[in-house]
Amino acid sequence: MDKSGILNTTIMKLNSATDFSFRFLIYASVHGDRLVTVAEVAEAYGLSHHHLSKICKTLIKEGILEAKRGRDGGVKLAMAPEEIGLSRIIQIMEPDPALVNCTGGIGGQCKILPACKLKGVLAEARRAFFDVLDKYTLADLVAEPAIAKKLVALLGED
């Protein structure tokens, strides 16, 4: 607890693959139809090339990005930013979206599972989380011209 007596905990935290996926997609989106490379995205954000390569492969496999091989190769969005829902990216990149694991994990199956309502409450909260994210697409993050221009400038490309 902090000095105010409030418990400091993160209720839901997305993994780094999800975070990096959003960054990669924002970068690709503000560059339109230009092919971008993993190396340039890694450099722009100061992220691991290795991690971004794995993320890029997953996004290609899922049809979010398309790749062109060869000397002048790279990747770009495989669809319009308006078609890329934020919740879909999370669902692709998060291996286990459950907030608690009542049936296994470190502590094994929880003893109170047959009488506990916590799992249902947390499932409802998870649905609400995705209901909000379902309202937004990649376009909502980058479509406003002033925001897109600022993003490009922040990525060191003005």
Side-chain angles (χ1 to χ4, degrees), residues 29 38 54 69 107 134:
S29 183
V38 172
K54 290 178 14 180
R69 293 180 167 249
D134 283 339

Side-chain angles (χ1 to χ4, degrees), residues 22 25-26 29-30 77 79-86 135-145 147-148 151:
F22 283 129
L25 293 171
I26 288 168
S29 183
V30 298
L77 298 179
M79 59 187 76
E82 298 82 16
E83 298 172 336
I84 302 173
L86 300 185
K135 297 176 188 177
Y136 297 94
T137 66
L138 182 59
D140 293 312
L141 304 180
V142 299
E144 192 176 316
I147 295 295
L151 287 167

